[in-house]
């Protein structure tokens, strides 16, 4: 089956659980495809935002777009325009904004990772709350990585992410980073101590009644012996 709608080339596509993939293209639109109904929704970034090079669906109704003018947008499918936009998410090279090559997310969570060629991958908190104040993108940290980051996949529980790095961007041959190597790598996002802390948090502390019952059972055992 072929889905028609984009007026220019499609640059990226992603989906989550529903049968509703979302694509972006050179026509400066994002389109959410309702496969069962054979229809789609159109989202436009506005006159000041260029076309998107990458997209990643966080949840069924929320997604992120990365643009070649450095914008990072947070969207929901119930609104035609972005909920929030971060300008120059990866800074600028002189007077030219660094485009966002790729986005990785931990599906169903609020963690997002973006890649460009500024020497870092950047971690973001994508807040998808009920009110406008609870819907925004918050910068968490940055991790050094030389070269064009052309692909990011976040591993289970966000312990690590796998990155594809090249001397040139995935959609062209410009802005070559000569010192970079064409490779893929594994970047650790959490350490073993974080996992141990999570395990401890998951265990509920004993209540006073449970503690007293344990002491009484211990006393009974000593008397019987």
């Amino acid at each position: 089956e072929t889905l028609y709608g984009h007026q220019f080339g499609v640059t990226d596509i992603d989906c989550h659980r529903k049968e509703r993939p979302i694509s972006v293209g050179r026509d400066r639109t994002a389109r959410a495809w309702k496969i069962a109904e054979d229809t789609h929704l159109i989202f436009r970034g506005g006159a000041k935002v260029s076309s998107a090079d990458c997209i990643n669906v966080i949840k069924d109704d929320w997604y992120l777009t990365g643009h070649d003018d450095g914008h990072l947008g947070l969207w929901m499918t119930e609104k035609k325009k972005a909920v929030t936009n971060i300008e120059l998410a990866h800074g600028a090279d002189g007077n030219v904004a660094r485009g966002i090559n790729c986005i990785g997310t931990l599906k169903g969570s609020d963690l997002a990772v973006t890649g460009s060629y500024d020497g870092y991958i950047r971690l973001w908190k994508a807040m998808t709350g009920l009110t406008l104040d609870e819907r925004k993108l918050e910068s968490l940290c940055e991790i050094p990585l030389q070269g064009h980051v052309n692909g990011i996949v976040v591993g289970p529980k966000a312990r690590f992410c796998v990155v594809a790095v090249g001397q040139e961007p995935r959609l062209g041959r410009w802005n070559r980073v000569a010192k970079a190597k064409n490779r893929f790598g594994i970047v650790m996002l959490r350490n073993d101590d974080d996992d141990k802390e999570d395990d401890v948090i998951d265990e509920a502390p004993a209540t006073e009644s449970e503690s007293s019952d344990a002491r009484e059972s211990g006393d009974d055992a000593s008397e019987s012996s």
Side-chain angles (χ1 to χ4, degrees):
E1 182 180 359
T2 302
L3 303 176
Y4 295 97
H6 281 288
Q7 303 300 309
F8 291 96
V10 177
T11 52
D12 201 7
I13 189 170
D14 192 31
C15 65
H16 190 33
R17 294 178 180 174
K18 292 183 179 178
E19 293 183 357
R20 188 180 296 181
I22 305 177
S23 60
V24 290
R26 289 300 182 194
D27 56 358
R28 298 169 63 185
T29 67
R31 300 178 185 245
W33 303 89
K34 298 180 179 180
I35 304 297
E37 302 173 13
D38 197 19
T39 60
H40 67 276
L41 303 174
I42 303 176
F43 307 89
R44 304 182 189 276
K48 296 183 179 180
V49 180
S50 67
S51 61
D53 285 344
C54 53
I55 183 172
N56 200 294
V57 180
I58 310 173
K59 304 174 183 178
D60 284 325
D61 299 324
W62 289 88
Y63 62 96
L64 290 164
T65 55
H67 300 254
D68 57 12
D69 62 355
H71 277 84
L72 177 64
L74 175 65
W75 302 70
M76 66 181 303
T77 56
E78 296 178 0
K79 293 185 177 292
K80 292 294 186 178
K81 294 185 178 180
V83 173
T84 185
N85 263 312
I86 302 293
E87 297 183 8
L88 302 176
H90 280 261
D93 188 1
N95 295 325
V96 180
R98 296 188 182 94
I100 299 176
N101 296 336
C102 61
I103 303 172
T105 62
L106 181 63
K107 299 293 187 183
S109 75
D110 59 1
L111 176 66
V113 188
T114 58
S116 183
Y117 64 97
D118 59 334
Y120 299 93
I121 58 172
R122 298 179 185 267
L123 277 65
W124 306 84
K125 183 177 182 180
M127 302 173 66
T128 59
L130 298 176
T131 65
L132 292 177
D133 293 336
E134 297 173 339
R135 296 173 178 175
K136 58 184 178 180
L137 287 168
E138 180 180 316
S139 178
L140 296 177
C141 66
E142 55 191 32
I143 300 174
L145 188 62
Q146 190 72 24
H148 282 275
V149 183
N150 292 320
I152 299 175
V153 177
V154 179
K157 296 185 178 180
R159 291 191 181 96
F160 63 91
C161 67
V162 181
V163 296
V165 184
Q167 293 183 337
E168 299 166 339
R170 65 184 178 88
L171 297 177
R173 304 192 68 179
W174 57 81
N175 292 332
R176 185 171 181 270
V177 181
K179 295 182 180 180
K181 295 182 179 180
N182 297 319
R183 59 194 174 93
F184 80 90
I186 299 176
V187 180
M188 300 304 299
L189 303 179
R190 304 173 62 188
N191 54 38
D192 294 336
D193 293 336
D194 294 334
D195 295 334
K196 292 178 181 178
E197 290 177 1
D198 291 344
D199 294 340
V200 172
I201 292 173
D202 291 338
E203 295 176 1
T207 61
E208 293 181 0
S209 59
E210 291 174 345
S211 300
S212 60
D213 292 342
R215 286 195 298 268
E216 290 176 1
S217 62
D219 294 341
D220 295 340
S222 59
E223 290 176 1
S224 61
S225 60

